[in-house]
Amino acid sequence: MRGIVKVAAIQMNCIPGMIQENLDHAEKLIKQAVDKGAEVILLPELMPCGYMATEEIWDFAETVNGPSIHWLTSMAGRFKIHLGFTYLEAEGEDFYNSFVLAGPEGKLLGRVRKDPPASIEAYFYKAGSDRHVIDTEHGRIGVGICYENLLYKQMCSLYGENVDLILSPFAAGRPKPFIPGDIKRFDDLLINSRAVFAKTLGVPVVMANRVGPLDTDLPGNMPHLKSSFPGLSSIVDYDGTVQAELGSEEAVIVADVHTGHCADRKSEPKLFGKMWGVPVPWYAFIWPMSQKWGEKSYAANMRRKERALSVSGSVKIP
């Protein structure tokens, strides 16, 4: 669907475990975006509960009928906008990192579960199997959740779906550096992948990352991580034009983009290495390796099963 739509990316700090505080803060930023005319607004990945790399994150999981989803649909209906984020969803004996999009009628339009969880995230939630497209009045919105945007299979999927706009919620924290320059390599990855998306898919991309400290224990006997979220959120049009971008500050960016994939796009998805859809830093091999460790731990973790079942309402745990 060809057209012009005003979109917004909200870059904010999300305090771990402080759901109501994060929602209240997000509401103020949403109002700023609406006041600037935004029709489609994207919030960061795991905005309600914040990003955590310990089992404590399960304490803040919700069902699709939980308070964060009620807040999402209420905000979308109140401001007559399309509004999306990801949250930690519990269903049955599993947890998922689920993107949800609500529309101007105050109803949920679609849900997409992250596939796969990135690196150590696989210790805490399961990969989904959803189609990464949500149909809206603005066209076919493709969804790429953080790490997914690096993957060749994701690039091929969105290319084949002929999406009109891509929403990419991020909670991309800087990793611990191994050698000098690794932090810059990570930041460059977030910035430089824009050109690959524009050239290959020919559609606008809205990327909303979070900012603030990243200070957490890690699973699997890995060392404590003290780092930060770099932000670097952006709005890029179908032809690669950067319409708006941020550094590391909390802020809202709003811009017009041309929806609909570019009919004369000439590049098909390109494979970098064995699995990547964009160029990645040298240390990227660690991410799928730690993902596999996490998947094995998650599958065997009985605490996870009991906790998920208690949240989803199947059983009650004292």
Side-chain angles (χ1 to χ4, degrees):
M1 174 184 287
R2 301 299 297 179
I4 298 176
V5 60
K6 194 175 290 289
V7 299
I10 291 178
Q11 183 166 284
M12 59 180 283
N13 184 16
C14 310
I15 303 172
M18 305 296 285
I19 291 178
Q20 191 58 55
E21 288 81 353
N22 292 332
L23 296 179
D24 290 344
H25 186 39
E27 181 177 350
K28 296 175 183 177
L29 297 172
I30 290 168
K31 189 175 186 307
Q32 291 181 28
V34 170
D35 288 345
K36 295 178 181 179
E39 304 165 81
V40 178
I41 300 176
L42 181 64
L43 290 152
E45 180 184 15
L46 296 173
M47 183 278 292
C49 69
Y51 189 91
M52 287 173 269
T54 68
E55 291 183 7
E56 183 185 5
I57 194 172
W58 296 337
D59 295 337
F60 306 101
E62 304 177 41
T63 69
V64 74
N65 297 313
S68 291
I69 304 302
H70 176 72
W71 177 90
L72 177 76
T73 54
S74 297
M75 289 295 105
R78 172 184 165 191
F79 292 113
K80 305 302 179 187
I81 55 173
H82 289 78
L83 180 65
F85 59 57
T86 87
Y87 76 110
L88 188 66
E89 179 187 9
E91 182 179 81
E93 61 180 35
D94 286 301
F95 296 100
Y96 300 92
N97 184 345
S98 298
F99 176 81
V100 278
L101 183 70
E105 301 300 320
K107 296 180 180 180
L108 204 59
L109 300 179
R111 179 201 66 195
V112 174
R113 289 168 170 168
K114 190 173 184 178
D115 175 28
S119 184
I120 57 171
E121 295 172 1
Y123 282 84
F124 309 112
Y125 47 85
K126 186 178 179 179
S129 58
D130 305 286
R131 182 165 164 261
H132 279 48
V133 178
I134 300 174
D135 293 317
T136 75
E137 64 186 67
H138 295 299
R140 296 158 58 78
I141 292 182
V143 179
I145 306 170
C146 200
Y147 180 71
E148 290 180 332
N149 293 285
L150 307 184
L151 304 176
Y152 177 72
K153 71 169 187 176
Q154 170 76 349
M155 192 77 75
C156 289
S157 174
L158 294 175
Y159 183 91
E161 290 280 6
N162 287 326
V163 296
D164 298 301
L165 169 69
I166 295 174
L167 298 181
S168 295
F170 273 63
R174 292 178 172 124
K176 183 177 181 180
F178 293 94
I179 60 175
D182 280 350
I183 296 300
K184 185 177 185 301
R185 292 182 182 96
F186 183 79
D187 290 359
D188 287 347
L189 168 65
L190 298 182
I191 296 170
N192 296 337
S193 59
R194 303 168 182 168
V196 178
F197 268 80
K199 182 179 180 181
T200 305
L201 301 178
V203 296
V205 180
V206 183
M207 189 275 253
N209 196 15
R210 58 157 297 181
V211 292
L214 174 57
D215 191 351
T216 181
D217 289 332
L218 298 176
N221 297 315
M222 287 179 267
H224 186 92
L225 175 62
K226 190 169 185 177
S227 183
S228 63
F229 293 93
L232 304 174
S233 300
S234 62
I235 299 172
V236 180
D237 213 348
Y238 76 98
D239 59 357
T241 302
V242 178
Q243 302 288 57
E245 61 184 335
L246 290 168
S248 59
E249 69 276 19
E250 258 198 345
V252 176
I253 47 175
V254 178
D256 289 328
V257 294
H258 297 77
T259 59
H261 68 275
C262 183
D264 61 352
R265 62 184 181 182
K266 298 177 181 178
S267 297
E268 295 186 354
K270 180 180 178 181
L271 180 63
F272 296 85
K274 295 183 178 180
M275 61 180 287
W276 309 110
V278 300
V280 296
W282 70 268
Y283 50 81
F285 73 92
I286 295 172
W287 299 335
M289 183 171 64
S290 54
Q291 173 198 327
K292 295 301 181 185
W293 299 339
E295 289 171 347
K296 291 180 181 178
S297 174
Y298 177 92
N301 193 328
M302 292 303 299
R303 294 187 303 277
R304 177 267 306 172
K305 294 181 180 180
E306 293 176 352
R307 190 72 188 100
L309 286 167
S310 70
V311 175
S312 61
S314 299
V315 297
K316 294 186 180 296
I317 303 297

